[in-house]
Every structure is written in C-alpha cells, then in structure tokens.
C-alpha cells in the first residue's frame, strides 16, 4: 500500500477515472447493441435514428479520450455500413 500522500491521491484519481471510462465504454457498447437490434427487426428508419444517436455517443467517447479517434471512426464506419446494407 502507498505511504506517500501523492501516491495515495494517484490511486484515488486513477480509480475515479477508470470508473468514468468504464461507464462511457459501457454506454458505447449499449448504443451499438441498440443499432444492431433495430437492424435485426428490419426497421430502416428506426435504424437510421439509432445510428445517429450511437454515432454521437461514440464521438463523445473519442473526444473524452476513452477511445482513440481511429477506433471511434472504425466503430462508426461498421455500424453505418450495417445500416446502409439493410434491404
């Protein structure tokens, strides 16, 4: 266990940031799952609406530094392609 005050603080700060990052990542995963669920149901308009909201969540995660911008772009690209390939 840390003895130095700054080390104790780092432990607390790191824990707080890890919890925040975990919550943001969870939100991104949920948004992506919602898009795929709507794609399975076959409603293209609802899929487009979910795509917009999921894209926003992913881009916000990238601006917060939770995801690298290329990783976020890849996620957006994949769900966009899935929505566009709907019959």
């Amino acid at each position: 266990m840390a003895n130095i005050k700054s080390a104790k603080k780092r432990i607390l700060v790191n824990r707080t940031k890890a919890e925040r990052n975990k919550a943001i990542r969870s939100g991104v995963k949920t948004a992506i799952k919602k898009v795929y669920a709507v794609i399975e149901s076959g409603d293209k308009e609802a899929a487009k609406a979910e795509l917009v909201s999921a894209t926003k969540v992913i881009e916000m995660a990238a601006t917060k530094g939770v995801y690298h911008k290329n990783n976020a772009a890849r996620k957006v690209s994949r769900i966009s392609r899935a929505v566009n390939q709907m019959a």
Side-chain angles (χ1 to χ4, degrees):
M1 184 64 204
N3 290 326
I4 298 168
K5 187 176 182 181
S6 62
K8 290 178 182 178
K9 182 179 178 182
R10 290 285 3 132
I11 291 169
L12 294 175
V13 170
N14 288 338
R15 187 176 299 148
T16 303
K17 288 185 177 186
E19 289 172 2
R20 173 180 162 269
N21 291 344
K22 189 174 183 181
I24 292 172
R25 277 197 186 95
S26 176
V28 168
K29 289 178 187 177
T30 303
I32 291 171
K33 284 179 188 175
K34 284 182 181 178
V35 172
Y36 284 119
V38 174
I39 289 171
E40 287 294 319
S41 71
D43 188 359
K44 188 148 187 160
E45 292 304 315
K48 287 183 180 180
E50 284 296 329
L51 174 64
V52 170
S53 63
T55 301
K56 182 177 179 181
V57 171
I58 294 168
E59 294 296 331
M60 289 295 291
T63 59
K64 300 295 182 192
V66 178
Y67 287 113
H68 188 275
K69 64 178 185 170
N70 291 354
N71 189 341
R74 185 174 66 240
K75 289 180 185 300
V76 170
S77 176
R78 285 179 179 171
I79 59 175
S80 298
R81 185 179 60 203
V83 169
N84 290 335
Q85 287 179 346
M86 287 180 70

